[in-house]
Amino acid sequence: MTGLASLDLAAIPDEDEALRPAVRAFLEEAVCSRPADRRARSWSGYDPAFSRELARRGWLGLTLPPEYGGGGRSSFARFVIAEEMLNAGAPVGSHWIADRQSGPLILKYGTEDQKRFYLPRICRGEAFFCIGMSEPNAGSDLASIATRAEREGDQWVLNGQKIWTTNAHGSHFMIALVRTSGSTSDRQKGLSQVIIDLSLPGVTVRPIEDLSGDSHFCEVFFENVRLRPDALIGTEGQGWEQVTAELAFERSGPERIYSSMVLLDEWLAFVRTKMGGSPASTRLAGRLAAHLAPLRALSIAVTEKLSRGESPVVEAALVKDLGTSFEQMVPAVIADDLGSRAPELVPMELWQTLAYATQSSPSYSLRGGTREILRGMIARGLGLR
């Protein structure tokens, strides 16, 4: 291959697998009694108290250094925690982005003052982040970003709009990709990343209600927002390179595979019963397992690269594209299976969970980069573009 490196099989180290029993025991008590359709919201579920409890147990900021309050563990440790949380349907949405990518980004590109201010707060579950990338009329074409931060004295003055920003209404800070020089015709040039305190005057956050009635996507407007000089993170004009590396954290993990896992578990519990079992459902269960097993192996292989400090951007795009396809397939095929039965024979909780997953699944291939963008990246990785 050319730009797409080979992905050797990797295994989660024993010391990280050892985290599972304690995490499962905690989740069994804290989460598993909740209704399945509520647990199905998982990484869009907002529960700051739950996030702070994870922090108290040392399960936030696992990959960050101890001197900043982190666990000093590898990406495998976070993979184990994330996998268990999503399998149980834990409400991880409040801390999810800060723990997954904002913290590692600040650690890599931030100043010492930025690290000492933000990272301990992330590890304590006190600082929640969102990511400001997509804009109206730009979608996933980040190179056409028009939101601008311009120097005025010793401050940055921010104007523009972001859209499809996950959980902006529940976040304290946004790390946004903005234009600090040039125009949209310059494409990737002149872009920078800034940290925005969302409580500042001039910031307006407007939630967007989706088909399910939830509002985890938002529009965010900036009108003459004055940012401190240290709002810039990394190097001015190098935002494109920084955000590209950041996306490897966003696209490669189990969250791009397990969004429909609560539904799958509920359906499997039903088809294991005398009333729910059938030859067709057994074949379908095998088909889904055959999709899931290599996907998980692929995600672990990318995690291995992240643990070595690499930035497997193209491989992460592959995980995201295949993972969201699986996540969208689960509610579709389960709907076909349940639709072939008498409605009264199917548990109401399973119907409700299916309804939520069906309504939310169109967003899976939108968040974190659309399918078209990802496949363009994969094609370039294969030397085809």
Side-chain angles (χ1 to χ4, degrees):
M1 297 183 185
T2 53
L4 185 59
S6 63
L7 283 167
D8 297 326
L9 285 175
I12 297 174
D14 290 343
E15 64 267 25
D16 297 320
E17 282 288 356
L19 287 166
R20 286 193 198 276
V23 178
R24 286 184 180 178
F26 165 71
L27 292 172
E28 180 65 31
E29 183 175 339
V31 173
C32 291
S33 62
R34 301 180 184 187
D37 65 314
R38 184 178 164 196
R39 289 188 290 114
R41 284 160 168 80
S42 197
W43 72 281
S44 62
Y46 184 76
D47 189 338
F50 181 82
S51 297
R52 286 193 290 272
E53 176 60 23
L54 294 185
R56 192 185 68 79
R57 292 167 182 265
W59 294 337
L60 292 191
L62 271 172
T63 63
L64 299 175
E67 59 263 38
Y68 301 118
R73 304 286 295 262
S74 74
S75 297
F76 286 114
R78 186 185 178 276
F79 185 99
V80 169
I81 298 290
E83 188 170 48
E84 293 299 325
M85 294 289 160
L86 293 169
N87 279 336
V92 295
S94 44
H95 69 268
W96 202 232
I97 291 172
D99 182 69
R100 179 182 65 198
Q101 64 195 89
S102 303
L105 177 83
I106 292 169
L107 178 66
K108 185 171 184 178
Y109 296 109
T111 64
E112 187 60 28
D113 284 346
Q114 287 172 332
K115 293 175 189 178
R116 295 205 174 277
F117 180 81
Y118 292 108
L119 298 185
R121 287 169 171 78
I122 290 174
C123 296
R124 295 196 299 264
E126 297 173 354
F128 303 145
F129 279 70
C130 59
I131 303 299
M133 292 192 186
S134 295
E135 296 187 1
N137 305 315
S140 291
D141 181 15
L142 299 180
S144 64
I145 275 175
T147 294
R148 299 188 68 88
E150 297 182 314
R151 283 193 181 276
E152 190 173 302
D154 63 350
Q155 295 182 325
W156 294 94
V157 180
L158 182 66
N159 283 284
Q161 181 187 353
K162 296 292 178 181
I163 195 169
W164 309 123
T165 307
T166 300
N167 200 32
H169 56 325
S171 297
H172 305 99
F173 303 100
M174 170 191 285
I175 295 181
L177 183 66
V178 302
R179 194 164 293 283
T180 49
S181 65
S183 66
T184 54
S185 61
D186 294 322
R187 302 293 289 170
Q188 294 95 338
K189 298 178 181 176
L191 296 172
S192 305
Q193 286 184 294
V194 292
I195 304 177
I196 304 164
D197 181 341
L198 294 176
S199 67
L200 287 172
V203 177
T204 302
V205 179
R206 186 180 300 164
I208 301 170
E209 187 172 300
D210 63 19
L211 286 172
S212 68
D214 289 345
S215 302
H216 60 278
F217 285 133
C218 296
E219 294 176 288
V220 186
F221 301 87
F222 308 107
E223 185 177 358
N224 294 320
V225 179
R226 293 190 170 274
L227 305 177
R228 291 158 46 101
D230 61 0
L232 179 73
I233 182 167
T235 304
E236 184 179 350
Q238 296 298 308
W240 182 263
E241 291 76 9
Q242 292 175 198
V243 82
T244 300
E246 177 188 354
L247 286 171
F249 290 104
E250 180 174 354
R251 291 171 172 164
S252 61
E255 54 266 53
R256 301 306 180 187
I257 301 174
Y258 292 160
S259 295
S260 299
M261 193 53 64
V262 171
L263 170 63
L264 179 55
D265 276 347
E266 285 295 301
W267 176 76
L268 286 172
F270 172 59
V271 300
R272 288 190 186 104
T273 66
K274 185 175 180 180
M275 182 177 294
S278 69
S281 62
T282 300
R283 288 193 295 273
L284 177 56
R287 176 185 165 198
L288 292 171
H291 279 278
L292 179 58
L295 261 175
R296 182 176 185 270
L298 182 60
S299 183
I300 292 173
V302 175
T303 300
E304 200 274 339
K305 287 182 173 291
L306 291 173
S307 72
R308 294 204 306 258
E310 298 180 25
S311 183
V313 174
V314 179
E315 294 87 341
L318 190 61
V319 172
K320 206 272 182 180
D321 184 41
L322 294 172
T324 51
S325 295
F326 174 76
E327 291 177 326
Q328 290 176 332
M329 177 177 71
V330 169
V333 297
I334 288 178
D336 288 343
D337 176 74
L338 298 184
S340 67
R341 305 164 187 261
E344 64 273 16
L345 299 181
V346 177
M348 181 56 67
E349 190 169 1
L350 180 53
W351 280 125
Q352 291 169 334
T353 309
L354 173 63
Y356 172 75
T358 301
Q359 292 167 340
S360 62
S361 61
S363 70
Y364 298 166
S365 52
L366 170 65
R367 61 194 188 191
T370 64
R371 181 167 285 132
E372 291 76 14
I373 292 290
L374 297 172
R375 291 182 178 177
M377 294 174 60
I378 295 166
R380 278 192 294 275
L382 293 170
L384 300 174
R385 294 181 67 186

